[in-house]
Amino acid sequence: MCEKLYLNDAYLFEYSDDIFIENISIIYQSSNLNVNNNETTQNEQQQLKLVQQLQKKYSFKTLYSITTNKTIFHGQGGGQPSDEGFFKINKIFNFQVIFVKINENSITEHFGYFVEEKELNNENGKNMIEKVMDDNNIWKDLIGCKDVLQKVNKEKRILFTKIHSAAHLMDLAVIESGCDLWKPSRGYHFEDSPYVEYFHNNQLNISLDQLTNILNKKIKELLEIYGNDPNLIQKFIIYKKENNFEDISSLGLQMKIPENLKSQPMIRIVKYGKYECFCSGTHVNLISEIGEFLVTKCKKSKDTVRISYKLKGI
């Protein structure tokens, strides 16, 4: 199992202690993207679509996947974008990480390509050393390497953490505003148009404009009262003992572990005030770090309410 260091510290931007390369594989090479979709699994089709999107953006010739025993990189999921950054391997090789995902076997995969030092973090840089790496199979010799530095893009990590944390504070604001029967449906925590969607369970007796005003008032109130309270946000990482998880009620938590998570080696529960949920994203330490943000629009469908929001300055 890859130890996910960001679960404990969202502000860990650089790390090198006891990290080693478990595996490196080639995901895509040259321009061979012509695959018969009738002969591929759903997971393979999804990966093919992802590779096509990444190739269009970065124009690489070879896309690698690197797995390590530890990582500070958050994989895309739960509505939060993937981290970006790079690895410095053996103090020589620079691996640009452009996408991170957790696969169906709960393994964190870092997708990217090898680049010259001067091209690190340059999305438009094409002076790569792919041909040297590929023709001589140098990349294979890096498997098992124990000299690995990981570094995430600090600015993007902080931004994604703020947007994601704002969504959790929204959950608390919803409950505190009297919508205690609402249940989270999904969230989108990207910078272009973040939102949180809830099943309203027919608990909506006011207009959407009124709801917007009430939530904005409650968010402002929570930030003013609890902005620098270190106890508002609590994180619980719970590891499976033998074949079972411990009774989490002993931790003062009300949640029950659902069947679909019982197969995992560990789970994390995040608590904002009295609102609890399972979450593997990154979080601020104090809600004051989020800064000001506003609900910009509420939209109701048959069963759900979508609440769009925007952070100040973004």
Side-chain angles (χ1 to χ4, degrees), residues 54-60 84 98 113 123 126 128:
L54 293 175
Q55 209 281 333
K56 182 178 181 180
K57 181 176 181 180
Y58 295 98
S59 301
F60 45 76
E84 299 174 20
I98 60 174
Y113 43 75
E123 292 185 0
K126 300 298 184 290
M128 304 177 192

Side-chain angles (χ1 to χ4, degrees), residues 16-31:
S16 60
D17 293 347
D18 302 319
I19 296 182
F20 66 87
I21 303 292
E22 290 188 333
N23 191 44
I24 303 177
S25 58
I26 291 179
I27 300 299
Y28 157 81
Q29 201 165 31
S30 69
S31 58

Side-chain angles (χ1 to χ4, degrees), residues 89-215:
I89 305 173
N90 217 16
K91 296 184 176 64
I92 300 173
F93 301 99
N94 303 294
F95 181 75
Q96 186 80 54
V97 178
I98 60 174
F99 189 82
V100 183
K101 76 168 189 174
I102 300 175
N103 66 24
E104 61 273 15
N105 296 316
S106 300
I107 297 172
T108 301
E109 295 186 82
H110 308 83
F111 288 4
Y113 43 75
F114 291 94
V115 298
E116 299 280 5
E117 179 85 28
K118 62 183 179 181
E119 300 297 352
L120 281 173
N121 298 317
N122 181 3
E123 292 185 0
N124 297 315
K126 300 298 184 290
N127 186 21
M128 304 177 192
I129 58 172
E130 293 171 315
K131 183 174 177 57
V132 175
M133 298 295 291
D134 298 346
D135 289 355
N136 298 281
N137 285 329
I138 293 175
W139 61 273
K140 292 183 178 180
D141 296 331
L142 301 180
I143 298 174
C145 178
K146 297 181 179 180
D147 184 355
V148 182
L149 167 68
Q150 295 182 344
K151 191 169 184 177
V152 297
N153 183 305
K154 179 178 178 179
E155 289 73 25
K156 289 188 175 182
R157 161 64 69 80
I158 292 175
L159 174 61
F160 299 155
T161 297
K162 287 181 177 181
I163 296 173
H164 180 236
S165 299
H168 281 260
L169 189 59
M170 183 78 72
D171 294 336
L172 180 59
V174 164
I175 293 175
E176 293 283 335
S177 298
C179 302
D180 53 318
L181 297 181
W182 287 23
K183 301 297 180 185
S185 169
R186 59 179 176 173
Y188 178 81
H189 313 312
F190 289 64
E191 60 184 300
D192 56 348
S193 54
Y195 66 81
V196 188
E197 198 167 279
Y198 302 89
F199 292 110
H200 55 69
N201 291 317
N202 295 318
Q203 191 185 41
L204 185 61
N205 302 316
I206 57 177
S207 72
L208 295 179
D209 286 341
Q210 287 176 310
L211 176 62
T212 299
N213 291 332
I214 289 172
L215 288 175

Side-chain angles (χ1 to χ4, degrees), residues 6-11 165 230-238 251 253 267-272 279 281-286:
Y6 58 84
L7 292 178
N8 282 314
D9 186 0
Y11 297 97
S165 299
N231 298 314
L232 183 75
I233 303 174
Q234 299 180 60
K235 309 179 191 77
F236 302 86
I237 298 179
I238 305 163
L251 301 172
L253 297 168
I267 57 173
R268 185 177 70 159
I269 297 174
V270 175
K271 189 173 181 180
Y272 277 57
C279 180
T282 58
H283 293 264
V284 296
N285 294 323
L286 303 169

Side-chain angles (χ1 to χ4, degrees), residues 173 177 206-221 294-298 307:
S177 298
I206 57 177
S207 72
L208 295 179
D209 286 341
Q210 287 176 310
L211 176 62
T212 299
N213 291 332
I214 289 172
L215 288 175
N216 279 330
K217 183 178 178 180
K218 179 58 65 174
I219 290 167
K220 183 179 180 181
E221 177 185 303
L294 291 172
V295 174
T296 56
K297 183 179 181 182
C298 293
I307 302 175

